[in-house]
Amino acid sequence: MELVVASDHAGFILKNLVVSHLMAKGWIVKDLGVDHPRDKADYPDYALPLARSVAAGEYEMGILVCGTGTGMALAANRVIGARAANCPNEYLARMARAHNNANILTLGQRVLGDGLALGIVDTFLATPFDGGRHQARLDKIYLDKINIDQIP
Ligand code: RB5
């Protein structure tokens, strides 16, 4: 499977570690940058193009890394069709997929050790969406699935 990754300067090292880890496992990984840790970057400039490519169906999944994971999630979730979850542990990564059908994982390089971060990535990518009642709940909040006039 193919996925897309990006980071700002504060997520560069972990982003590259994630890329190496996934390529060694046979994933095809599109890296949208940054290309150097000295490239000071604003996280929206990386989160929004990645979120748009996932929402457009160019990639099934995306991974964004910044210092905390928070800015990337805030920015990515502005894109309709993007469901980004900042997951600091494997339980939340599993639930973000199983219950929330998250299609973008965000990580914080300043928060996570390497082993934990790669475990979160593997868990996120290996967990299927449970569907059913969880899809019905998602349909209540995603404007691409509902008529805007139905919002209370
Ligand atoms: C950059 O200093 C930092 O603010 C950014 O990487 C991210 O953590 C924002 O949420």
Side-chain angles (χ1 to χ4, degrees):
M1 199 163 81
E2 204 169 349
L3 58 74
V4 58
V5 304
S7 74
D8 67 1
H9 56 286
F12 171 80
I13 294 170
L14 178 56
K15 184 259 294 174
N16 282 7
L17 183 69
V18 168
V19 170
S20 309
H21 174 73
L22 291 176
M23 287 180 71
K25 294 181 118 190
W27 287 79
I28 297 166
V29 183
K30 173 71 177 173
D31 186 346
L32 300 183
V34 294
D35 298 323
H36 195 281
R38 281 199 301 269
D39 297 341
K40 288 280 182 203
D42 296 334
Y43 55 82
D45 294 339
Y46 291 82
L48 293 172
L50 182 143
R52 288 190 191 108
S53 73
V54 172
E58 292 167 32
Y59 302 94
E60 200 172 322
M61 299 276 182
I63 299 176
L64 289 164
V65 191
C66 62
T68 59
T70 302
M72 287 296 197
L74 290 176
N77 279 322
R78 297 290 291 166
V79 175
I80 291 176
R83 295 177 299 279
N86 186 17
C87 300
N89 59 51
E90 291 183 23
Y91 174 76
L92 288 174
R94 190 161 62 251
M95 298 310 283
R97 287 288 309 127
H99 285 196
N100 309 115
N101 199 18
N103 52 13
I104 298 172
L105 169 66
T106 75
L107 299 169
Q109 178 182 298
R110 294 173 178 162
V111 182
L112 302 169
D114 291 350
L116 175 57
L118 296 181
I120 291 167
V121 167
D122 288 344
T123 300
F124 187 87
L125 296 176
T127 306
F129 177 45
D130 283 352
R133 68 187 189 281
H134 302 297
Q135 182 61 59
R137 290 164 185 162
L138 288 171
D139 288 346
K140 292 190 173 189
I141 55 173
Y142 284 100
L143 302 183
D144 53 333
K145 287 278 195 301
I146 62 175
N147 183 331
I148 197 163
D149 297 330
Q150 295 171 343
I151 298 174

